[in-house]
Amino acid sequence: MLLVGLTGGIGAGKSTVSAMLAERGAVVVDADQIARDLQSPGSPVLDLMAERFGAHIIRDDGSLDRAAVAAIVFGDSPEAKAALADLNGIVHPAMQSEIRRQIAAQADTDRIVVLDFPLLGENPRDDIAATIVVDIDPDVAVARLVEFRGMDETDARNRIASQISRDERLARATFVVDNSGDRAALAREVAELWRQLVRLRGGDANGRPWLRV
């Protein structure tokens, strides 16, 4: 198994890169999806969140109102920063346990395993062979978040500000995927990245391992 980390600021296009790598044969361990699963209706994590932030963060159908949580934890105030730290303290232990379980399931394989983790820069790991950063200008990220996700511009900027800076993220990169162009340009970037990952693991251009004798 070759384990690599994939990260990028919100709006950078990390999920698109992750999907493109999966199409090429990578096994993706998606931290965001794990967090969503852990916050499903009736889950212990969701109960702890409601206890900390108030019952109003849970909709009538029992699901999490993510916008309500975002309004509490993203911002420049000391209260918002403390709330974000508390949220991470609730979600991250359970998330890390599930991440470890999914990675361990691939340990005896020859697969390229991609840990898709937005907060990899904030929470570095010593068990990955490389760090992939999907890079984009923050202003472009804001514009895409507003256009494609319908996000309020202030909310988008607050979320970006809550993460480490672009320069800090790039300083930790082994590979950088430039997502400033269109989808075709991104596909070319990912094709080259895949070639580099196969080379790092040892294998042919299709991702198959070299035969060892």
Side-chain angles (χ1 to χ4, degrees):
M1 175 185 73
L2 176 71
L3 176 63
V4 298
L6 173 66
T7 191
I10 183 171
K14 179 181 56 60
S15 296
T16 302
V17 171
S18 178
M20 288 179 173
L21 289 171
E23 289 172 358
R24 291 179 174 272
V27 174
V28 176
V29 178
D30 186 339
D32 276 348
Q33 184 59 54
I34 290 171
R36 286 191 289 271
D37 292 343
L38 290 169
Q39 295 165 351
S40 60
S43 67
V45 167
L46 187 57
D47 289 343
L48 288 172
M49 289 175 61
E51 182 179 329
R52 167 60 179 85
F53 302 114
H56 71 282
I57 69 168
I58 300 179
R59 298 190 180 99
D60 291 342
D61 64 0
S63 64
L64 177 63
D65 186 338
R66 299 183 185 281
V69 176
I72 297 170
V73 305
F74 294 120
D76 292 330
S77 70
E79 292 79 10
K81 294 182 185 303
L84 180 59
D86 288 346
L87 175 63
N88 290 339
I90 293 169
V91 177
H92 282 187
M95 184 172 69
Q96 290 296 338
S97 178
E98 177 60 16
I99 285 173
R100 287 193 295 270
R101 187 195 69 78
Q102 292 191 22
I103 291 173
Q106 303 296 328
D108 294 329
T109 74
D110 59 12
R111 307 294 295 275
I112 294 175
V113 179
V114 177
L115 172 56
D116 181 343
F117 190 17
L119 299 180
L120 186 60
E122 291 88 340
N123 299 276
R125 300 175 65 98
D126 58 10
D127 59 345
I128 56 177
T131 298
I132 304 159
V133 172
V134 184
D135 183 52
I136 192 173
D137 182 275
D139 287 333
V140 177
V142 168
R144 290 181 179 178
L145 288 168
V146 171
E147 180 179 359
F148 298 116
R149 295 199 202 175
M151 204 175 277
D152 175 77
E153 181 177 344
T154 299
D155 182 26
R157 292 192 182 279
N158 283 340
R159 292 186 187 224
I160 289 173
S162 74
Q163 300 178 327
I164 64 171
S165 71
R166 182 186 188 186
D167 288 343
E168 289 175 300
R169 194 178 289 111
L170 288 172
R172 300 174 186 179
T174 312
F175 303 107
V176 177
V177 175
D178 178 7
N179 191 19
S180 59
D182 59 16
R183 190 177 181 89
L186 180 61
R188 291 191 293 272
E189 290 269 325
V190 172
E192 176 56 30
L193 169 65
W194 184 251
R195 284 191 288 271
Q196 296 290 339
L197 294 177
V198 169
R199 186 176 299 117
L200 182 62
R201 185 201 58 185
D204 69 13
N206 295 313
R208 295 184 293 260
W210 296 119
L211 294 177
R212 292 178 175 85
V213 295

